Amino acid sequence: MRRREFIQWTATGTVALMGLSGCGANKSSADVGIPRKSPEPGQPEPATPIVAGSGPSMVVVNGTDPDQLIERGLQAMGGIGRFVKAGQTVVIKPNFSVPRTPDQAATTNPFMVAALVKRCLGAGAKSVKVIDNPFTNAQICLENSGIRRAVEAAGGKVFAINKLSAEFYTATHAGGSILQSVQFSKDVLEADVFINFPILKHHSGTRLTMGLKNMMGLVWDRGFFHRTDLHQTIAELAAFKKPNLVIMDAVKGITTHGPMGPGTIREYNQLIFSTDPVAADAYGAELFGLKAADVGHIGIAAGLGTGTIDWKQLNPVRI
């Protein structure tokens, strides 16, 4: 985060973290009248097609300047026009699930998200929405993370999908062995382009949270994942809906006390772009200092055909 902006934000007073409200109690879709989208029984929701043949499958950009990282990475991937066409709707899913400031490295860098919003609109996107379902007070998360101000200044729309209603969720078949149905983000299901924009950081339950786990912010009942098999359900969710592009914020992230933080911060000074969600996470795990196999849902997702765990096969372009 730029020091000047951080000083301005903190000068207005950071909202206290005590007494944060959590998500509401889970209800069934019948309770709130969520429309059901029903593919053939037992079949997953058709995944967003992964763009192929018009650029590399993975790019790793080194640096710290948010705008330059986005610009150089997109250009190396073949340009924003590879992913976004005029008149299309775009949904970006960063991580603003916790009430931390950008300097605390527990949420996706807001300036990089804003830079991506600008590129999408510059490519002629009809609209760009930035969404997440924070597991603490949504409005505090939007403010403290800097996401609200940055995205709105860039011309995008940003909001939390923290209410179980037909406005935010559609109940649909997920097609997994455990995750058979899911109340999933309506915005993502209806978008022309879906970009997953996680941060690489520690997670006490799964060791790491990156792109695959970031998808949990698009479902209502995350408790189901924890009550059953967390790694299996994360992988099945990833198989259910694939992004057009993953951009992983690995400029810096917490290595302890995740996902909430604050924790020990490590600087990697990298931004990873990939059309393969499994490869992106596998690379991130190794960057963190683990093997991809150490993070259970990565291997399971690879086994489900969501992507390759051997990211080196993609011959990533390094900048």
Side-chain angles (χ1 to χ4, degrees):
M1 181 182 184
R2 295 180 179 90
R3 187 170 183 272
R4 179 177 299 174
E5 281 112 340
F6 179 68
I7 292 172
Q8 290 174 342
W9 291 350
T10 54
T12 62
T14 301
V15 182
L17 300 183
M18 294 181 63
L20 294 178
S21 61
C23 294
N26 292 332
K27 300 179 181 178
S28 71
S29 59
D31 293 330
V32 293
I34 295 180
R36 290 186 173 274
K37 187 174 182 178
S38 303
E40 291 298 317
Q43 295 299 314
E45 180 72 20
T48 303
I50 297 296
V51 181
S54 53
S57 297
M58 179 179 282
V59 168
V60 178
V61 189
N62 291 275
T64 58
D65 181 85
D67 195 76
Q68 286 298 311
L69 285 168
I70 290 293
E71 177 65 21
R72 292 160 62 200
L74 288 174
Q75 286 300 320
M77 287 294 291
I80 186 63
R82 175 183 175 188
F83 303 98
V84 179
K85 304 294 189 296
Q88 291 186 321
T89 57
V90 180
V91 172
I92 301 170
K93 167 58 176 76
N95 184 329
F96 57 85
S97 63
V98 297
R100 302 299 178 193
T101 62
D103 284 41
Q104 292 176 299
T107 53
T108 308
N109 183 287
F111 299 108
M112 288 195 290
V113 177
L116 178 61
V117 169
K118 289 180 181 178
R119 267 62 177 192
C120 293
L121 291 172
K126 180 181 179 180
S127 67
V128 181
K129 299 177 182 179
V130 178
I131 64 172
D132 194 7
N133 182 10
F135 50 84
T136 58
N137 185 285
Q139 297 311 310
I140 296 176
C141 290
L142 280 163
E143 293 302 325
N144 286 16
S145 67
I147 288 285
R148 189 200 300 277
R149 290 178 218 183
V151 169
E152 289 179 350
K157 301 175 182 178
V158 58
F159 52 91
I161 53 172
N162 62 331
K163 180 174 69 173
L164 183 60
S165 70
E167 178 185 5
F168 294 140
Y169 290 99
T170 296
T172 187
H173 295 287
S177 61
I178 298 177
L179 192 67
Q180 298 177 5
S181 62
V182 65
Q183 292 156 346
F184 192 82
S185 166
K186 180 179 179 181
D187 293 292
V188 171
L189 290 175
E190 294 180 352
D192 297 308
V193 182
F194 168 42
I195 300 174
N196 193 7
F197 203 153
I199 183 173
L200 165 62
K201 66 175 180 176
H202 173 257
H203 192 282
S204 60
T206 55
R207 305 194 73 173
L208 291 180
T209 175
M210 299 175 285
L212 298 175
K213 191 173 186 310
N214 197 47
M215 296 285 292
M216 283 180 66
L218 297 171
V219 304
W220 174 253
D221 187 7
R222 288 172 294 202
F224 176 80
F225 288 63
H226 292 276
R227 292 191 302 270
T228 54
D229 184 326
L230 182 57
H231 288 285
Q232 181 70 33
T233 48
I234 290 171
E236 291 180 357
L237 181 64
F240 161 69
K241 188 65 179 179
K242 300 179 185 179
N244 294 87
L245 177 65
V246 176
I247 305 176
M248 186 185 300
D249 177 2
V251 175
K252 61 181 180 180
I254 54 173
T255 60
T256 59
H257 306 301
M260 277 290 295
T264 302
I265 296 173
R266 180 179 173 186
E267 296 183 2
Y268 309 94
N269 297 329
Q270 292 187 13
L271 191 62
I272 299 100
F273 296 72
S274 185
T275 54
D276 185 321
V278 176
D281 272 21
Y283 179 91
E286 293 188 24
L287 187 63
F288 187 88
L290 300 174
K291 296 179 180 178
D294 294 333
V295 184
H297 55 264
I298 299 178
I300 299 171
L304 293 175
T306 306
T308 178
I309 200 169
D310 185 3
W311 60 266
K312 294 178 182 177
Q313 288 185 357
L314 302 185
N315 297 315
V317 175
R318 294 182 179 271
I319 301 174

